[in-house]
Amino acid sequence: MSRSLDDTQFSKSLIYMLIGSAFILALSLGIRHGFGLYLVPMSHEFGWSHQVFSLAIATQNLLWGAVQPFTGALADKYGSKIVVAVGGVLYCIGLLLMSISSQAWMLNLSAGLIIGLALSATSFSVLLSAVGRAAHPSKRSMAMGIASAAGSFGQFIMLPTTLLMIKSVGWSAALIISAILVALVVPLAWMLKAPAYVAPKAVTQSTQANLSFKQILKIAFTHKPFLFLALGFLVCGFQVVFLGIHLPGYLVDHGFDASSGTIFLALVGLFNIVGTYAAGYLGDKFSKPHLLMGIYGLRGIAIVSFLVIPLSTWTIYTFGIVMGILWLSTVPLTNGIVANMFGIKYLTMLSGIVFFTHQIGSFFGGWLGGLNHDLTGNYNLMWIGSIALSIFGVIVHFFVNEKAVVND
């Protein structure tokens, strides 16, 4: 139940939630961040083309996005901790089934269907919305940035850990160990219990309390800045999943060993901490749409530079650092804009709608990457598409503003 708190009580409860959210995101996204390392060993063992594994991960991302608004609606109604706990159970089951997936349909069931459902309950939309709901509006972007940054540390830790497990005990046992780790999400979910922030009535009067679920949806789907924001998030999904799944294979094609791709992804996870924290900090001080325009523009410049400069270990690592800073810095800014537009009552559901377009991009970034490689033996068209989408991302966010449509 929402209630007002004094500053001391509020700070303690929010910090408690931030810690829980950070650990859950670290486990959930850290394990997912390493899925690209399973592409080569699983494909080699079962004689699969790259498209088989890519399609399963693409299905995971699409389903994750498709059910995210519904998962968000459940979290808005029943609370985040129940939804996250159920997601942790599903994630554990999905990883265990993935560890025995010897056929394409089993991989699609486990890595695609079950883990896709699990991620919708244990990732950004639910966790950051819970944090955003508990934070003071003036500190909302910062709180989301802190949770994202701390969660990003898990991506940094899990990449070398996953590679070490695959090399030491094999890919199947590595997935079983990952399932044991992700089971910790269930008890951690009970840390998500900070009450929603309620501004004093003397300061602001809520206009959203009297609006129904259907009325909020109608307002959202007729509000052009919200639709442009959702469209822009597609770019992020395409780029991060293409690079996360296929860059290790791209490097192998160019004569580098698996450790180069692992270090690249680890650097992405490490510097993602810097990027998401900085985005949250800057989002409370400057225009979030303008910051998003800058992020997508810099991504395009980074990709062009990576392709033009002769490939070497140092260019790979530099690309990892730059892309890490830009990786998920879009997330606290995007969620913060949604909160500013519509308030916090239906924040998780509305953030889930925006995230769905992100996952449409993720689907195509993962699947088309594998299809392009199988048909041509390279990723040239995917690189061109990523650059073009960066330009599109800059343009579309020009039409986004964060003016309140519905107040807290």
Side-chain angles (χ1 to χ4, degrees):
M1 179 181 294
S2 299
R3 57 189 177 95
S4 298
L5 299 173
D6 63 45
D7 290 341
T8 302
Q9 291 172 316
F10 181 79
S11 297
K12 288 180 179 179
S13 62
L14 180 57
I15 289 171
Y16 191 70
M17 175 176 277
L18 283 172
I19 293 171
S21 298
F23 277 108
I24 293 168
L25 287 171
L27 288 167
S28 176
L29 298 180
I31 290 170
R32 174 192 172 271
H33 196 57
F35 280 162
L37 301 178
Y38 292 97
L39 186 153
V40 173
M42 292 187 73
S43 297
H44 282 177
E45 180 163 338
F46 300 116
W48 295 336
S49 66
H50 281 203
Q51 188 181 173
V52 172
F53 191 91
S54 298
L55 181 60
I57 300 301
T59 300
Q60 174 195 108
N61 281 285
L62 185 62
L63 185 66
W64 175 5
V67 302
Q68 188 68 77
F70 303 100
T71 307
L74 290 173
D76 286 333
K77 185 172 183 178
Y78 298 108
S80 299
K81 64 182 182 180
I82 300 297
V83 171
V84 172
V86 172
V89 173
L90 287 174
Y91 207 151
C92 186
I93 293 171
L95 289 169
L96 291 173
L97 289 177
M98 187 177 172
S99 72
I100 58 172
S101 294
S102 58
Q103 298 180 39
W105 71 267
M106 294 178 66
L107 187 66
N108 277 285
L109 174 65
S110 58
L113 175 63
I114 298 176
I115 294 180
L117 290 172
L119 285 167
S120 75
T122 59
S123 57
F124 285 121
S125 291
V126 173
L127 274 301
L128 294 193
S129 294
V131 170
R133 185 178 288 108
H136 187 283
S138 66
K139 300 296 182 182
R140 190 171 283 152
S141 289
M142 171 65 81
M144 290 180 177
I146 291 172
S148 298
S152 297
F153 187 70
Q155 298 180 42
F156 169 65
I157 292 295
M158 286 306 300
L159 260 298
T161 302
T162 299
L163 181 63
L164 179 63
M165 289 192 299
I166 291 173
K167 288 185 174 181
S168 301
V169 298
W171 64 265
S172 182
L175 287 167
I176 294 173
I177 295 171
S178 296
I180 295 171
L181 290 174
V182 88
L184 294 172
V185 167
V186 178
L188 285 169
W190 262 255
M191 296 180 72
L192 308 176
K193 58 181 182 179
Y197 174 82
V198 178
K201 291 182 179 180
V203 177
T204 183
Q205 184 175 1
S206 174
T207 60
Q208 70 164 328
N210 297 323
L211 294 176
S212 69
F213 180 83
K214 289 183 179 180
Q215 288 174 318
I216 286 286
L217 280 180
K218 184 177 180 180
I219 293 172
F221 282 112
T222 56
H223 187 55
K224 290 183 179 179
F226 176 77
L227 299 178
F228 282 123
L229 179 68
L231 190 59
F233 217 18
L234 180 147
V235 178
C236 182
F238 184 96
Q239 292 175 334
V240 300
V241 171
F242 165 59
L243 292 174
I245 297 299
H246 295 288
L247 192 76
Y250 172 83
L251 296 178
V252 170
D253 289 346
H254 286 76
F256 294 87
D257 59 24
S259 63
S260 296
T262 303
I263 294 173
F264 166 83
L265 293 175
L267 287 170
V268 166
L270 178 62
F271 283 88
N272 190 29
I273 299 171
V274 178
T276 50
Y277 178 81
Y281 175 80
L282 294 173
D284 284 329
K285 298 180 178 297
F286 302 100
S287 164
K288 296 179 188 65
H290 290 170
L291 290 171
L292 287 169
M293 290 172 67
I295 289 169
Y296 287 114
L298 289 172
R299 280 191 189 181
I301 293 171
I303 293 172
V304 171
S305 301
F306 177 68
L307 297 175
V308 170
I309 299 172
L311 196 61
S312 69
T313 299
W314 292 111
T315 60
I316 294 168
Y317 295 166
T318 301
F319 186 51
I321 292 170
V322 173
M323 288 306 298
I325 293 172
L326 304 171
W327 195 252
L328 293 178
S329 53
T330 59
V331 175
L333 296 175
T334 301
N335 284 8
I337 291 173
V338 175
N340 287 350
M341 286 179 175
F342 298 103
I344 61 174
K345 184 176 181 181
Y346 298 109
L347 177 59
T348 317
M349 181 269 294
L350 292 170
S351 295
I353 292 172
V354 175
F355 186 72
F356 177 44
T357 60
H358 181 284
Q359 294 308 95
I360 292 175
S362 298
F363 173 84
F364 286 109
W367 175 55
L368 290 180
L371 180 62
N372 179 209
H373 188 275
D374 287 344
L375 293 177
T376 66
N378 59 57
Y379 292 103
N380 293 345
L381 292 176
M382 295 298 294
W383 288 117
I384 294 171
S386 294
I387 295 167
L389 284 173
S390 285
I391 298 171
F392 176 77
V394 173
I395 294 171
V396 77
H397 282 93
F398 178 80
F399 301 99
V400 175
N401 66 69
E402 49 188 319
K403 183 179 179 182
V405 181
V406 175
N407 295 321
D408 284 341

